Every structure is written in C-alpha cells, then in structure tokens.
Amino acid sequence: MAMDGSIPPKSELALTQSLEQVRATLSGPKKKGTVRAWLVLNTTGQAQVFEAGKSDIMSRTGLPGRDLRSLDPVLSYPSSILGRERAIVINLENIKAIVTHNEVLLLNSRDPSVTPFIEELQKRLHFHYHSCHTQEADDEISNKNNIHESEDLKSRIGSSQRFSKRFSKFIDQDESIKMEDEVESKDGSEVLPFEFVALEACLEATCSRLDSEARTLEKEAHPALDKLTSSISTLNLERVRQIKSRLVAITGRVQKVRDELEHLLNDDGDMAEMYLTEKFQQSLENSSTSSINERDDMDDEEFQSAIDDRVAAEISSEVSESANDTRSAMVKNFDVKELEMLLEPYFVQIDGTLNTVSTLREYVDNTEDYLNIMLDDKQNHLLQMGVLLSTATVVVNFFIVVAGILGMNIRFNLFNDVPPGNTRFLWTCGGGTFSCVVLYIFAIAWYKQKRLLER
C-alpha cells in the first residue's frame, strides 16, 4: 500500500481478478442452451444429422421461440400445423418437423416409429427432385419448339399485311395456351412444391397410423365386450377397462388432428402462409428489382444523404408498413385451391377414423348400459329374496314366541292328563304351523298386490 493510503494498480488488478474468480465459483458454470440432434433432408432426399441449439434453429428458419417450444418432446403439446413466413412447423403425433422451401428438419429422427416415415419421405423427395428436373427440361424443349413454330408462321404470313395482326394475336393465344398446358406434367398432374410434398408425407403417415391403431383396437374390443356380456368376471372387466382407456386416448388424438385440419381448411390466410416456394421466388424477384432501382439511383445519392437525418424514422416506418402490406397482398393473391385439394382427402380420412372410434365408443357405452341393467336386475332379485326371507323369519318368530311361552316351567292344565295331553300337544303344534303358513301366504299375496314383488 502506498504512503498516501491508495492501493497500487497491480494490487487493485489482482484484487479484481480474485473477486471475479470468487463470483464465478459461487455462480457455478454457465448454463448453455439445450443442443439437440436434427436430421436435415434436402431437396434430393439426402439426410444429414447435425446438432444445433434453439437459437441456431431460430436463425436458420426464422421461427420464434414459442413455435419451437411446441416441438419439444419433453413438453406435451397437441397436434398442430403452423404456417410462418419462412417455414412450416409440423407437430403431428410422433412427427416433429420444420419444413422450409428447400429442406426438412426432423427433431426425433432416432425414434424407431419415425424410421419408416423418414424412408418414405426420402423416396418422395427424391422422386420430386427428378420430376422437377424432367419438367424443366420439357419446358425448355417446348419453348424452343414454340419459338421455331412462331417464326415459321410469321414467315408464312409475312406477305399478307392485312392479316398480320390477326395472325399475331392467334400466335400469342396459341403460345399462352401451350404454356398453361406445359405447367402440368405428362400424366396430367401438377408437380407439387417441395413443402407440400413434405407436408403430404407427414399427413399420410399420421392419418395412416391413427387409422391402423383404431382398426386394431376395434378388432380387440368387439370380442372382449361380447365375452363380458356373456360372462361377467374380474378378468373380463379388467380387459375391457384397458380397452376403454386406449379408446379414450386415441379418440382425443384423432380429434386434435381433425380439428387442426378443419381449422386450416376454413382459413385461407393460414393456407396461403404455407406457400413457401412462391413466397421465396417473389422475394427474389422483389430483391432483384430493388437492386436494379438502387443502381439507377446512384447519381441521386448526394441529394438523398442531405435529408436522411430528418426523415429516417418516417422512411423506416413507411417501409415496414409497405412491406407488411405487400406481404399481406401477396399472400391474399395466392390460390389456395392446390393446398385445399391436398388437405381435403386427409381430412376425410381422419374424419372416417373419428367416426370409427366414435362408433366403438358408443358400442362400449351400450355394453356398459347393458351390464348395468343386468346388475340392477340381479340386485332386484336379491332384494326380493331378502324380502321373502325376512317375511318368513317374522312369521316363524310368531311360532317361536308361542313355543317359548309353552316351554316355560309353569303348570298348565293343558298337560295334566297324559293321554289327552299328547293329542292337545299335537293339535297345538299343527295349529301353530298352519297359522304360520297362512300368514306367510297372506304376506306374499299382499306384497304382490302392492307390486313390491314380481307376479
């Protein structure tokens, strides 16, 4: 320490470093984001596994954190299909994927139940890649043929100036019709965009799996329920209980997928957001146009720099508003019929699966009602048996009272004479028994008259 009481610079630096070490020790190691293994499938269907954190996926796909949270296997989120600006988030059963305009990112690729889906998706992407290249080659050949034919026609009709305009209109119409026909493939069906191919594979795998589980459960449920109605036992009841638990679970899963597809089909805006390829192409066109405009306006740069400081905020706000308006107008201009035709068959399939499980649920409920009726009937029979036994007990108690009174150690003139006494004893026992039977029959008749017992 210096003479004036101040701390030397070296001592102060050492003290600062020691304090930082103590803080680091107390705070412990810094927590890093969760790194997960993602399987990436490109346009050719080739697979590649890479590890990335949440922030890396967000920067790569442009998705917010709340959308990635729905794909977390630790959390339990319902099935959903979300269309965003640059990607489609698919959370369908065990399929958790992010689809962009040129790649598919799968989260739980190591799940054995997802392996068949990955193989099928690779086949589809590979076929889609070759279909697109074949279509591009056919378009180039057809364009060359159209140009040659148009030049030939123009040379033939060049001598007639009076009909030149008419023939030129005819040529233009013919070329436009041919270009519209060439959009379709050789078999008459249009080649779907990359994101729709991946989405269709996910929907087909999910709907097929749910339908298979529903039909398997239906085959197991009917024999078990029929066996339970014929023989009510603990084993049969436990088996039916397990079937009902599985039925409730699969009904909820099917209902969630159906509701999600119905929501998409009823909202054109959400369907338009899923046209990633068209949005990407339009963004490229807009960027190329803006670059050309910037190149033309380079001479006015000095003039623009003079007023940038004053209107920078206004320009940025107007640009953002115009970009949003352009994007919304661009989305509204998309024709969603293609995606609607793609989703409609799977909606019908999942709706049929829901009808299957609903019918099975009604059958289970009917079986439960039948069992409850049978148990109530047996309980009624037991109650009637209890009434009969209780009535017989009350009637017999009257005779027991008489026997108790006669069995007392008291002298009775009834048994003084021996020969007559035996006769009187027999008459007493016979009369008491007959009286009990008469009272019991009278009680049963009264019960039936009051409808307390079945006739």
Side-chain angles (χ1 to χ4, degrees):
M1 183 177 292
M3 296 299 293
D4 57 353
S6 61
I7 300 175
K10 294 183 179 180
S11 301
E12 187 177 358
L13 179 61
L15 180 60
T16 304
Q17 292 177 354
S18 61
L19 289 175
E20 291 179 354
Q21 291 177 358
V22 171
R23 290 176 182 174
T25 304
L26 293 176
S27 61
K30 295 182 179 179
K31 295 183 179 179
K32 298 181 179 180
T34 304
V35 178
R36 302 183 184 277
W38 293 80
L39 179 67
V40 181
L41 300 177
N42 57 13
T43 54
T44 61
Q46 296 179 355
Q48 181 183 2
V49 179
F50 78 103
E51 294 183 354
K54 191 174 182 179
S55 59
D56 298 333
I57 300 299
M58 291 171 61
S59 61
R60 183 167 182 166
T61 60
L63 293 174
R66 60 179 178 272
D67 292 339
L68 294 180
R69 198 180 304 120
S70 63
L71 300 179
D72 195 342
V74 179
L75 304 176
S76 178
Y77 276 85
S79 298
S80 60
I81 302 175
L82 305 176
R84 295 295 183 255
E85 181 63 26
R86 292 168 49 191
I88 300 175
V89 183
I90 300 176
N91 179 23
L92 294 176
E93 293 295 315
N94 57 340
I95 300 175
K96 301 180 184 298
I98 299 176
V99 181
T100 63
H101 71 280
N102 60 352
E103 63 181 5
V104 180
L105 288 78
L106 290 171
L107 180 59
N108 54 342
S109 59
R110 298 177 181 177
D111 190 355
S113 59
V114 186
T115 303
F117 162 72
I118 295 175
E119 296 176 355
E120 179 64 24
L121 180 58
Q122 286 180 324
K123 294 179 182 177
R124 294 193 178 206
L125 295 180
H126 184 72
F127 179 76
H128 175 264
Y129 177 77
H130 287 285
S131 298
C132 291
H133 279 269
T134 303
Q135 185 177 3
E136 291 177 359
D138 293 340
D139 291 341
E140 292 179 358
I141 295 173
S142 61
N143 289 332
K144 292 180 180 179
N145 293 333
N146 290 332
I147 294 173
H148 179 71
E149 291 177 359
S150 62
E151 291 179 354
D152 189 14
L153 288 174
K154 286 180 180 179
S155 63
R156 290 181 181 179
I157 63 175
S159 59
S160 178
Q161 298 179 355
R162 185 176 57 184
F163 299 100
S164 59
K165 295 183 179 179
R166 184 180 302 175
F167 277 101
S168 62
K169 292 181 180 179
F170 171 77
I171 293 171
D172 294 336
Q173 293 177 357
D174 187 32
E175 290 180 354
S176 61
I177 293 173
K178 288 182 179 180
M179 291 297 293
E180 291 178 356
D181 293 338
E182 287 166 1
V183 176
E184 299 182 353
S185 59
K186 294 181 179 180
D187 56 352
S189 60
E190 294 184 357
V191 179
L192 294 175
F194 175 84
E195 63 272 13
F196 289 173
V197 175
L199 177 61
E200 184 179 13
C202 296
L203 289 173
E204 183 176 353
T206 303
C207 295
S208 300
R209 180 183 179 184
L210 291 175
D211 186 69
S212 177
E213 290 183 7
R215 294 187 182 279
T216 302
L217 183 61
E218 185 180 14
K219 293 179 181 179
E220 296 178 3
H222 284 286
L225 294 172
D226 295 339
K227 190 174 182 179
L228 180 61
T229 54
S230 60
S231 175
I232 301 176
S233 62
T234 305
L235 182 61
N236 293 335
L237 287 173
E238 178 63 21
R239 187 179 178 185
V240 171
R241 186 191 67 81
Q242 295 177 359
I243 290 175
K244 186 176 180 180
S245 300
R246 292 167 55 191
L247 179 61
V248 172
I250 194 174
T251 301
R253 291 160 54 195
V254 172
Q255 184 69 48
K256 290 175 183 177
V257 176
R258 182 192 178 278
D259 292 343
E260 186 64 24
L261 290 178
E262 185 179 12
H263 173 73
L264 286 177
L265 289 172
N266 293 333
D267 195 338
D268 293 343
D270 290 344
M271 286 192 291
E273 286 288 345
M274 296 184 181
Y275 282 79
L276 305 180
T277 302
E278 293 190 15
K279 289 192 292 185
F280 179 74
Q281 293 176 354
Q282 290 187 3
S283 64
L284 290 179
E285 293 175 0
N286 294 333
S287 62
S288 61
T289 304
S290 61
S291 63
I292 294 173
N293 294 333
E294 289 177 358
R295 211 174 285 134
D296 295 337
D297 296 337
M298 287 297 291
D299 295 336
D300 299 334
E301 185 176 357
E302 294 180 357
F303 177 77
Q304 293 294 331
S305 61
I307 61 173
D308 280 344
D309 295 335
R310 190 179 64 182
V311 295
E314 297 179 359
I315 292 176
S316 61
S317 61
E318 290 177 359
V319 167
S320 61
E321 291 178 359
S322 62
N324 293 330
D325 295 339
T326 303
R327 186 181 297 108
S328 61
M330 183 173 60
V331 168
K332 289 181 180 179
N333 291 331
F334 287 160
D335 188 7
V336 298
K337 290 182 180 179
E338 185 179 15
L339 182 56
E340 188 175 2
M341 294 296 292
L342 174 66
L343 297 177
E344 188 70 28
Y346 297 104
F347 176 75
V348 174
Q349 182 180 359
I350 201 67
D351 188 68
T353 305
L354 182 61
N355 292 333
T356 301
V357 295
S358 299
T359 304
L360 184 59
R361 181 67 179 272
E362 292 178 358
Y363 188 74
V364 172
D365 294 338
N366 293 336
T367 304
E368 289 182 352
D369 295 338
Y370 177 72
L371 292 177
N372 291 330
I373 292 172
M374 289 179 61
L375 294 175
D376 292 340
D377 183 65
K378 289 185 178 181
Q379 187 177 4
N380 292 334
H381 283 293
L382 292 175
L383 292 175
Q384 291 179 6
M385 183 65 68
V387 170
L388 295 177
L389 293 176
S390 300
T391 304
T393 302
V394 171
V395 172
V396 171
N397 284 335
F398 286 110
F399 186 71
I400 292 174
V401 170
V402 174
I405 294 173
L406 296 178
M408 293 181 182
N409 192 11
I410 301 175
R411 293 181 178 274
F412 284 97
N413 294 327
L414 183 61
F415 304 116
N416 288 334
D417 299 333
V418 177
N422 293 330
T423 305
R424 293 174 183 178
F425 175 76
L426 294 175
W427 276 104
T428 302
C429 292
T433 304
F434 180 75
S435 299
C436 291
V437 173
V438 171
L439 287 175
Y440 183 76
I441 294 173
F442 177 77
I444 297 301
W446 185 79
Y447 291 156
K448 291 185 177 181
Q449 183 180 3
K450 295 297 183 180
R451 294 184 178 179
L452 299 177
L453 294 176
E454 294 181 357
R455 295 181 178 275

